[in-house]
Amino acid sequence: MKKTLLLSVVASTMIMAGGDIKPVEPVVEAPVVVEEASAWKFGGSAVAFTQTVDNSGNSSLFDGANTYSAVGAQLSAVNADLFAGIGAGVEVSAIKSSSDAGFYTGGGDAGTTSGGFTQAYLTYGFGATSVKLGRQLLPKGLSPFAFSEGWQVFKNSFDAALVVNSSIPNTTLVYAAVVNSNKSINDYTNDAAFTKINANGDVVHMIAAQNKSISNLTLTGNYYFGPDMVANGANATILWGDAKYNAGSFNVAVQGGQISPDTAANTSAYGAKLGAKFGMFTAMAAYTSVSTGALGISNFGGVKSPLYTQMILNNVGQYHAAPGSDFLKVGATAKVLGGTVKAFYGAGTNSSAADKGDYTEFDLMYVTKLTKNIKVFGAYVYTDDSAYTQATATGSRPSANNFVRFWARYSF
């Protein structure tokens, strides 16, 4: 009875509505086309760079004969899995400069253009091991005597084979076979700029181990072997160690080791660094000492040094890294004016017969990001090697100089 009544109510409602029930139209949705994301990751940068020097007041800053200027463009593409787990990367760089000589003292405005592949490599990984073969960047933290430097328009790179293993907890093991480097000066993006870092042999081998088992402490050890690296077919080896403890508000680090050529005098070196953070300010002090010997403590594939006392320009005469050098560096940074201001003072002396004398340098820098993609840098540098025997005797470098350096980088 209740069922009959319910049907009657429904029927009555239909009649009152005109007796029609409009059919429900099916909803047809347009198919969504999902485009597969490209496995290639593209990037690049555009850079403007200039540096000028007054040659001990004998010329003016920013005049044509004593100013180096350059613009550069760089494009990169990386694919982590090109096929069968094999990745690839390529980077093309080009620089148009005002001069191909005398970077630190100008050199006129003859104008040169250089360009080529600054990176081109393949990668492969299996388990806890990764392999990278070809032209690539090498990090200073794992390879202190063959590393890519960031002070120029673009970083220098290396033709190398790199194997990294992380199967041991908190430990990174590295093997590298390094052949060529383009250093960081002159027309260094040309393919012809890539030359052997071992002029008498074919390769330099490196083994590194880095451990972070203890909180805030990083221990790194390196061994380099350069077959036939010294004249007359003699080999050269390097043992180097570095320990850094960073607790946030303060940090301390020590480094040291020895370069041992088979047929020449060994060079040993050590250094220590202290740092502290006070809100928006940081402060540091570092000291390094290099014994008299045949070779300096310097990057095989560039112009800088792994020593803590590296400054903007003290590598020009290797004042802190040459055999017989003792060098002190102090400085501070501050997060102000929308960026970071850095000030460092360095002073050193050399006791070797060839380079006896003193050297001082003052660096004042400012760096900031104007936008997410645009970074700018400015520096004033004062150097004085007036008491340096080699400089004053040969006239190879004026005794005191004022330098100014600017660069702007747009990255995408």
Side-chain angles (χ1 to χ4, degrees), residues 194-390:
F194 285 85
T195 57
K196 292 181 179 181
I197 66 171
N198 182 354
N200 301 306
D202 294 322
V203 66
V204 171
H205 302 276
M206 184 205 72
I207 298 173
Q210 187 172 86
N211 181 271
K212 298 182 179 181
S213 296
I214 301 175
S215 179
N216 302 324
L217 178 65
T218 300
L219 302 173
T220 308
N222 297 86
Y223 170 77
Y224 291 85
F225 175 67
D228 303 325
M229 195 164 185
V230 187
N232 303 318
N235 304 324
T237 60
I238 300 176
L239 282 173
W240 193 256
D242 186 285
K244 292 184 173 72
Y245 182 81
N246 189 344
S249 59
F250 75 94
N251 59 83
V252 59
V254 291
Q255 63 180 182
Q258 181 171 280
I259 302 179
S260 304
D262 281 353
T263 58
N266 296 340
T267 304
S268 59
Y270 65 89
K273 180 172 64 173
L274 296 171
K277 186 175 181 180
F278 312 95
M280 57 189 277
F281 300 96
T282 65
M284 62 81 63
Y287 173 79
T288 58
S289 180
V290 182
S291 73
T292 55
L295 300 173
I297 308 298
S298 186
N299 184 6
F300 290 153
V303 298
K304 299 295 185 179
S305 166
L307 294 174
Y308 299 149
T309 51
Q310 176 70 62
M311 300 186 69
I312 290 182
L313 289 174
N314 62 349
N315 58 276
V316 178
Q318 292 297 305
Y319 300 105
H320 68 306
S325 296
D326 294 285
F327 207 87
L328 177 68
K329 175 184 176 181
V330 295
T333 69
K335 300 285 187 180
V336 294
L337 304 175
T340 303
V341 175
K342 306 177 182 182
F344 297 98
Y345 174 80
T349 187
N350 190 295
S351 59
S352 70
D355 297 323
K356 189 174 183 180
D358 300 325
Y359 174 85
T360 58
E361 178 174 328
F362 173 71
D363 300 341
L364 179 62
M365 296 167 275
Y366 175 76
V367 60
T368 189
K369 274 195 168 185
L370 299 180
T371 69
K372 178 183 177 181
N373 303 97
I374 300 176
K375 188 176 185 179
V376 296
F377 172 89
Y380 165 76
V381 182
Y382 173 78
T383 67
D384 186 357
D385 64 358
S386 57
Y388 218 79
T389 304
Q390 188 179 52

Side-chain angles (χ1 to χ4, degrees), residues 97-160:
S97 66
S98 63
S99 173
D100 64 346
F103 174 85
Y104 294 100
T105 56
D109 50 8
T112 64
T113 302
S114 66
F117 289 94
T118 47
Q119 291 196 72
Y121 57 82
L122 297 175
T123 61
Y124 186 72
F126 53 94
T129 301
S130 63
V131 179
K132 192 173 186 179
L133 179 64
R135 187 161 293 175
Q136 59 187 285
L137 304 180
L138 292 179
K140 180 180 177 182
L142 289 173
S143 180
F145 285 84
F147 61 91
S148 299
E149 302 171 349
W151 63 275
Q152 248 281 26
V153 179
F154 301 124
K155 291 183 177 181
N156 56 306
S157 49
F158 297 82
D159 294 331

